[in-house]
Amino acid sequence: MLDLFDPQERVVIGEQAVLMRGRALAVDTALLAAIDAIAGRASFRRMVTPGGYEMSVAMTNCGRVGWVTDRTGYRYAPHDPATGRPWPPLPDVFATLAHDAATEAGFADFFPDACLVNCYEPGARLSLHQDKDEQDYRHPVVSVSLGLPATFQFGGLKRGDRPLKVPLTHGDVVVWGGASRLVFHGVLALKDGDHPLTARRRFNLTFRKAL
Ligand code: MD6
Ligand code: FE
């Protein structure tokens, strides 16, 4: 049967960095239900940076280890510091999506052990940073956007490199690694809006092989 719908639009945003528009749409409600379940066991919280600033993005984690920050630094930790309990396990729908998207982007054998779950409310932002707390930079990072749209900044290997502005909307998946693995990136302040599935929020899942 002729199928005119092309849900798999790919946009190359850098060397070995690809945006797969709508790649997560088929499982969006399953992803959001899983986020709800995770947050029920490990609440979203605004963590403090080593510099003493409270982040505007609220975070939680699932997987064998979770990304945390406090006054002593950034690290991956097997337990939620708020409760002392292990992070909730990676749901199958998360693991499958991350693995399959990475494979389609040219990164075989990606089995993430960490998923950072970010919750943005209007005004929340993430300043330019590199993801460099992982042990092996040969593994890519897979990022899934849900809910309100945001502007993603995709820069270069130097903080001063002028970033590309990439709109990320509900269901988008970004995979990057290799030559782009240590690129500076960030998210501009979230604009207010009302999304049918998430109301006034944006969620982002970032999958990594940390250990
Ligand atoms: C976000 N994402 O989109 C934040 N990091 O909310 C990230 O910081 C990120 O999307 C590494 C790779 C992909 C990302
Ligand atoms: Fe990042």
Side-chain angles (χ1 to χ4, degrees):
M1 190 182 111
L2 179 62
D3 185 359
L4 295 174
F5 180 56
D6 174 16
Q8 242 61 304
E9 190 192 343
R10 284 175 172 70
V11 183
V12 174
I13 61 170
E15 203 180 335
Q16 297 184 80
V18 62
L19 161 59
M20 304 161 92
R21 288 212 174 109
R23 180 62 181 78
L25 278 178
V27 289
D28 62 352
T29 55
L31 296 172
L32 288 166
I35 291 172
D36 248 7
I38 291 161
R41 296 172 55 178
S43 300
F44 283 105
R45 81 294 306 264
R46 290 171 61 184
M47 295 192 259
V48 175
T49 64
Y53 294 98
E54 188 175 87
M55 299 184 76
S56 58
V57 179
M59 300 178 170
T60 186
N61 289 278
C62 60
R64 281 169 54 97
V65 289
W67 185 86
V68 295
T69 174
D70 59 21
R71 287 308 300 249
T72 70
Y74 309 116
R75 65 194 169 280
Y76 282 95
H79 298 101
D80 179 350
T83 61
R85 296 194 301 252
W87 298 105
L90 206 65
D92 285 343
V93 63
F94 281 25
T96 300
L97 174 63
H99 173 273
D100 292 356
T103 301
E104 289 161 25
F107 297 95
D109 305 310
F110 180 59
F111 296 98
D113 53 17
C115 175
L116 174 66
V117 186
N118 293 148
C119 179
Y120 294 72
E121 295 195 340
R125 57 188 289 274
L126 200 59
S127 54
L128 282 182
H129 67 278
Q130 294 169 294
D131 289 17
K132 56 176 187 185
D133 301 311
E134 301 75 31
Q135 290 185 1
D136 186 345
Y137 298 144
R138 286 175 300 182
H139 298 292
V141 181
V142 175
S143 150
V144 178
S145 294
L146 295 165
L148 288 181
T151 301
F152 190 58
Q153 294 179 294
F154 190 78
L157 293 171
K158 288 177 297 203
R159 184 179 293 277
D161 292 341
R162 194 167 306 289
L164 199 69
K165 285 184 184 171
V166 182
L168 292 182
T169 64
H170 179 76
D172 286 352
V173 175
V174 180
V175 180
W176 80 64
S180 287
R181 180 61 180 75
L182 291 175
V183 153
F184 279 90
H185 59 279
V187 179
L188 296 183
L190 193 78
K191 288 199 181 118
D192 203 355
D194 187 12
H195 190 276
L197 296 180
T198 69
R200 301 178 68 199
R201 291 168 299 179
R202 169 182 185 255
F203 295 101
N204 172 265
L205 309 172
T206 38
F207 296 94
R208 307 186 185 89
K209 176 95 176 73
L211 304 182

